[in-house]
Amino acid sequence: MAVLHHSLDFILSSPGTILSVVSGLSVLNANNVLKKVHLSRGYEFIGIHFMFALLRVHSHGVVTIDLQCYQEDSIAEVDNLLNALEKKLKTLLNGNIKRIKRLPALIRGAEVDRYWPTSDGRLMEYDIDKVVYDEDSAYQKIQILHSKQYGNILVLNGDINLAESDLAYTKAIMGSGKENYAGKEVLILGGGDGGILAEVKQKPKMITMLESLHIDQKVIDGCKTHRKTCGHTPMDNLTVGTALILVEDCVPVLKKYAQEGRTFDYVINDLTAVPISTEPEDSMWEFLRLILDLSIKVLHPSGKYFTQGNGVNMTDALTLYEEQLGKLSCPVGFSKEVVCVPSYLELWVFYTIWKK
Amino acid sequence: MAVLHHSLDFILSSPGTILSVVSGLSVLNANNVLKKVHLSRGYEFIGIHFMFALLRVHSHGVVTIDLQCYQEDSIAEVDNLLNALEKKLKTLLNGNIKRIKRLPALIRGAEVDRYWPTSDGRLMEYDIDKVVYDEDSAYQKIQILHSKQYGNILVLNGDINLAESDLAYTKAIMGSGKENYAGKEVLILGGGDGGILAEVKQKPKMITMLESLHIDQKVIDGCKTHRKTCGHTPMDNLTVGTALILVEDCVPVLKKYAQEGRTFDYVINDLTAVPISTEPEDSMWEFLRLILDLSIKVLHPSGKYFTQGNGVNMTDALTLYEEQLGKLSCPVGFSKEVVCVPSYLELWVFYTIWKK
């Protein structure tokens, strides 16, 4: 049973009148609706109603109201109380209101969690109605959540990874439809959800997919069972047609390829986003640089390396990534594209990198 | 100065142990961090710290913590307190925690409002950093808000209308690139932001745009000045090239066209979304049916009528709309498409309607 947290805020045009608001509120106090208490820096009224109510008059001219009730409570009763409070405050603050804001209730402690913030930490409420898969592997927490509009969403360690609606992601990380994969050597790092394999339209010479152990067998299992995007891909077999899938950590395999002088026309890095940390010495950055350097080593001189970056607002992390590109053992050029991936609820940056 | 509302919730695996939690929390009570009070149905502890703190132990096995501080407060101090509370609760609830959730702080009473819910009432935090235009016309509240990633967003009466990033909307309401407008008679209802006019690639015989008074001159003014999407469109003149813009209520003009027997190859209704109300006798629905009936009357027998529907989760409203389509004076067929419009943060339904 979830706690529904309602809020209703008044922003006043002139904070100077705040004391008259407090004295006006004594009506609520006398009627036993709210009880005046002194707690911190403002003026607080605590509700002794059937639900928890808090009204705070902030001295700089904001009045905040919080109501916490339960999902089982009568919606009408809660709405009535909020409407009554809004009406009373409107009368009391007559002519002094700049803005009134009533937010959709926060749903707290629910069986199914609906809040998954963007990369820049903004609050987003998804229409999640079911947890389809929830497993902890040795490496990470793997969840597949069902959204009414986005279909099944893969969530790794609390980060939205990809939903069934997100063909735009797969297209972007494959070069936005401008590449011809026919007869080409393709290397995919990651891609355990099978989306890229399903989207290769032309017949390459060979696709080698390195699904690192860190994104693990349990992810492949969960996606195979619960995601339409990977329903009929070669995921079911380790080698089907032109695809070779190695469930192995990509680093030693990349090192071996580099030593053998093997090259690829396309390297698609679908492993991880650019780390959010802006400390370039962070272990996440070291891992990213290692993969990047090895990938460029196995890239054919006329080949292309595709990867995702991060949310478009993560400018510091993106700049740091671009700085790393200048420090690789082979000099590289790059371009970037901003793409709307439906379930991300934010625009996402993708990179194309090539040998200079 | 905004109020930052932090929340930290614990969902327990076994609610039965809740009383031991309450007695365990007396440590916090004794240390004067939180004061035990009895308010409503759970067990409440109110903070007497420099910021307002509320800890509630809900008898069904959820512990909710709320901290309200101000934007000017030290982020580090708030984070430390939240971390300390999380650590203490983790020890106290050891082995009994199913999930811990700390949400991004709600920003309440800020100068610039960042929360604009979806059509189905989900909470969404935009990256709005500036109010560019804020005017009340005789008809509606018109705001243009700047988003870091979506550019300037037109907001009418609190509903996100369109952002500079939303070419996907314009393409969808013009038939998703599958139509050839060359030499055609085109009628646009609404479209005051100029986006459709700017996106007509071929040269039609004539575009007639009826920008109803209800979406008014102030919208046109605001968009002309503040939105790149309409920078160089024929909006600046009432007749330029093949476009005729009538700032008139569309109903009498449509009636006149219908009487004259005038027809159009394309009618694009960019006026309003499908009403959210599920009462078909609502005045919004009446208005929609009137426009729809007149539009189909002036549609050439082989013509197409394009319009937006609503958020894909608004299934009741969409079904009701489709029922209305069966009740028009001319029988019609229809198809629909679900499109991702970046700034909407939800998938949106568009309709194509034709005479049977």
Side-chain angles (χ1 to χ4, degrees):
Chain A
M1 187 177 54
V3 179
L4 298 187
H5 188 126
H6 297 269
S7 66
L8 170 63
D9 301 331
F10 295 79
I11 295 91
L12 309 191
S13 16
S14 140
T17 56
I18 210 80
L19 279 176
S20 71
V21 177
V22 175
S23 65
L25 281 168
S26 53
V27 180
L28 299 175
N29 205 18
N31 288 351
N32 240 359
V33 177
L34 292 167
K35 194 173 169 180
K36 191 169 170 183
V37 288
H38 293 285
L39 295 167
S40 50
R41 291 177 290 183
Y43 300 87
E44 276 85 21
F45 296 81
I46 302 279
I48 49 171
H49 202 263
F50 74 100
M51 70 190 93
F52 181 84
L54 167 68
L55 184 150
R56 298 185 72 199
V57 182
H58 305 270
S59 45
H60 61 283
V62 173
V63 178
T64 57
I65 295 174
D66 292 273
L67 286 186
Q68 289 185 357
C69 63
Y70 296 114
Q71 211 147 28
E72 60 173 15
D73 289 334
S74 149
I75 296 173
E77 202 169 344
V78 176
D79 271 353
N80 286 345
L81 182 57
L82 274 171
N83 291 342
L85 276 170
E86 181 168 339
K87 200 175 155 195
K88 219 176 269 279
L89 267 291
K90 265 181 173 167
T91 313
L92 197 60
L93 302 170
N94 182 28
N96 191 14
I97 300 174
K98 195 169 156 191
R99 200 169 76 231
I100 298 177
K101 188 78 181 189
R102 201 194 280 202
L103 292 179
L106 274 183
I107 305 163
R108 300 172 61 176
E111 200 56 42
V112 179
D113 185 8
R114 296 161 65 90
Y115 301 95
W116 304 94
T118 57
S119 63
D120 57 335
R122 284 175 293 118
L123 185 60
M124 293 289 172
E125 181 182 353
Y126 282 80
D127 54 351
I128 307 288
D129 55 8
K130 209 164 58 185
V131 177
V132 174
Y133 184 84
D134 195 344
E135 292 275 338
D136 290 320
S137 80
Y139 309 102
Q140 58 198 336
K141 183 168 180 60
I142 305 155
Q143 291 169 292
I144 298 180
L145 310 174
H146 182 261
S147 146
K148 277 191 253 178
Q149 62 192 300
Y150 302 123
N152 283 341
I153 308 179
L154 175 63
V155 178
L156 298 176
N157 286 334
D159 279 335
I160 298 282
N161 190 281
L162 210 67
E164 288 175 317
S165 58
D166 296 345
L167 189 58
Y169 175 97
T170 309
K171 282 187 184 292
I173 208 163
M174 293 176 68
S176 297
K178 288 177 294 223
E179 306 301 324
N180 186 348
Y181 285 88
K184 298 288 167 64
E185 281 279 0
V186 183
L187 178 65
I188 302 173
L189 310 180
D193 66 1
I196 296 175
L197 280 183
E199 193 51 27
V200 178
K201 298 302 181 200
Q202 307 93 5
K203 198 174 159 62
K205 187 173 168 200
M206 174 61 83
I207 302 173
T208 308
M209 187 169 126
L210 296 177
E211 184 43 271
S212 133
L213 279 172
H214 295 272
I215 294 181
D216 50 26
Q217 189 62 39
K218 284 202 172 175
V219 175
I220 298 186
D221 292 348
C223 288
K224 243 168 51 177
T225 318
H226 298 291
R227 300 235 316 197
K228 285 189 205 104
T229 40
C230 6
H232 301 287
T233 67
M235 296 293 298
D236 296 329
N237 298 286
L238 287 189
T239 314
V240 173
T242 53
L244 170 72
I245 300 169
L246 305 172
V247 182
E248 273 189 66
D249 192 339
C250 64
V251 174
V253 182
L254 279 173
K255 280 184 176 159
K256 186 169 73 84
Y257 289 164
Q259 269 167 4
E260 294 169 359
R262 193 169 161 193
T263 60
F264 296 86
D265 300 299
Y266 293 104
V267 178
I268 302 175
N269 180 350
D270 190 26
L271 282 176
T272 48
V274 166
I276 288 174
S277 152
T278 46
E279 295 301 322
E281 296 324 312
D282 193 276
S283 68
M284 282 294 287
W285 280 103
E286 265 173 49
F287 176 68
L288 180 138
R289 254 199 320 263
L290 174 66
I291 302 272
L292 195 52
D293 211 48
L294 287 169
S295 299
I296 299 300
K297 275 186 184 147
V298 304
L299 192 65
H300 190 272
S302 66
K304 283 182 186 167
Y305 174 88
F306 297 124
T307 193
Q308 60 158 319
N310 210 313
V312 74
N313 281 351
M314 301 306 287
T315 42
D316 287 352
L318 292 167
T319 303
L320 197 51
Y321 178 70
E322 291 164 24
E323 282 169 18
Q324 307 306 307
L325 293 180
K327 294 175 188 166
L328 301 181
S329 35
C330 308
V332 298
F334 72 91
S335 65
K336 52 186 166 176
E337 191 187 6
V338 176
V339 174
C340 179
V341 179
S343 82
Y344 283 16
L345 305 185
E346 66 183 313
L347 299 177
W348 208 255
V349 176
F350 288 81
Y351 286 96
T352 301
I353 299 165
W354 57 86
K355 274 179 165 157
K356 264 207 251 188
Chain B
M1 188 177 52
V3 178
L4 298 187
H5 188 127
H6 298 267
S7 66
L8 170 64
D9 300 331
F10 295 80
I11 295 92
L12 309 190
S13 17
S14 139
T17 57
I18 211 78
L19 279 176
S20 70
V21 178
V22 175
S23 64
L25 280 169
S26 52
V27 181
L28 299 176
N29 205 16
N31 288 350
N32 240 1
V33 177
L34 292 168
K35 193 173 169 180
K36 190 169 169 183
V37 288
H38 293 287
L39 295 166
S40 50
R41 290 176 292 182
Y43 300 86
E44 277 85 20
F45 297 80
I46 302 279
I48 50 172
H49 202 264
F50 74 100
M51 72 190 93
F52 181 84
L54 167 70
L55 185 150
R56 299 184 71 199
V57 183
H58 305 270
S59 46
H60 62 284
V62 174
V63 178
T64 57
I65 295 173
D66 292 272
L67 285 186
Q68 288 184 359
C69 63
Y70 296 115
Q71 211 146 27
E72 59 172 18
D73 289 335
S74 149
I75 295 173
E77 202 168 346
V78 176
D79 271 352
N80 287 345
L81 182 58
L82 274 170
N83 291 342
L85 276 170
E86 181 167 339
K87 202 176 154 195
K88 220 177 268 281
L89 267 290
K90 266 181 171 167
T91 313
L92 197 61
L93 303 169
N94 182 29
N96 191 15
I97 299 175
K98 196 168 155 192
R99 199 170 75 232
I100 299 178
K101 188 78 182 188
R102 201 194 280 203
L103 292 179
L106 275 183
I107 304 164
R108 300 170 64 176
E111 198 58 38
V112 178
D113 185 8
R114 296 161 66 89
Y115 302 95
W116 303 94
T118 57
S119 64
D120 57 335
R122 284 176 291 117
L123 185 59
M124 295 288 172
E125 181 183 353
Y126 282 79
D127 55 350
I128 306 288
D129 55 9
K130 209 165 57 184
V131 177
V132 174
Y133 183 85
D134 195 344
E135 291 273 338
D136 291 321
S137 79
Y139 309 103
Q140 58 197 336
K141 183 169 180 59
I142 306 155
Q143 290 168 293
I144 297 179
L145 309 175
H146 181 260
S147 146
K148 278 192 251 180
Q149 61 191 300
Y150 303 123
N152 283 342
I153 308 178
L154 174 64
V155 178
L156 297 176
N157 287 334
D159 279 336
I160 298 282
N161 189 280
L162 210 66
E164 288 175 317
S165 59
D166 296 344
L167 189 58
Y169 176 96
T170 309
K171 281 187 184 295
I173 208 164
M174 292 176 68
S176 296
K178 288 177 292 221
E179 306 301 325
N180 185 347
Y181 285 89
K184 298 288 168 64
E185 282 277 0
V186 183
L187 178 65
I188 302 173
L189 310 179
D193 67 2
I196 296 176
L197 280 184
E199 193 50 27
V200 178
K201 298 302 181 199
Q202 307 94 4
K203 198 175 158 63
K205 186 173 169 197
M206 173 61 83
I207 302 173
T208 308
M209 188 170 125
L210 296 176
E211 183 45 270
S212 130
L213 279 172
H214 295 272
I215 295 180
D216 51 28
Q217 188 62 37
K218 283 201 172 177
V219 175
I220 298 186
D221 292 346
C223 289
K224 243 169 48 178
T225 317
H226 299 289
R227 300 235 316 196
K228 284 190 206 103
T229 40
C230 5
H232 301 286
T233 66
M235 297 293 298
D236 296 329
N237 298 286
L238 286 189
T239 314
V240 173
T242 53
L244 170 71
I245 300 168
L246 305 172
V247 182
E248 273 189 66
D249 192 339
C250 65
V251 174
V253 182
L254 279 172
K255 279 184 176 159
K256 185 172 73 86
Y257 290 163
Q259 270 167 3
E260 294 168 359
R262 193 169 161 192
T263 60
F264 295 86
D265 300 298
Y266 293 104
V267 178
I268 302 175
N269 179 351
D270 191 25
L271 283 178
T272 49
V274 167
I276 288 174
S277 151
T278 48
E279 296 300 323
E281 296 323 313
D282 193 278
S283 68
M284 282 293 287
W285 280 103
E286 263 173 52
F287 176 68
L288 181 138
R289 253 201 319 266
L290 173 66
I291 302 275
L292 194 52
D293 211 49
L294 287 169
S295 299
I296 298 301
K297 275 186 184 148
V298 303
L299 192 66
H300 189 270
S302 66
K304 283 181 186 169
Y305 174 87
F306 296 124
T307 193
Q308 61 158 319
N310 210 313
V312 75
N313 281 350
M314 301 304 288
T315 42
D316 287 353
L318 292 168
T319 302
L320 197 52
Y321 178 71
E322 291 163 25
E323 283 169 18
Q324 306 307 306
L325 293 180
K327 294 175 188 166
L328 300 181
S329 35
C330 309
V332 298
F334 73 91
S335 65
K336 53 188 165 176
E337 191 187 5
V338 176
V339 174
C340 179
V341 179
S343 82
Y344 283 17
L345 304 184
E346 66 182 315
L347 299 178
W348 208 255
V349 176
F350 289 82
Y351 286 96
T352 301
I353 299 165
W354 58 85
K355 275 178 164 158
K356 265 206 243 182

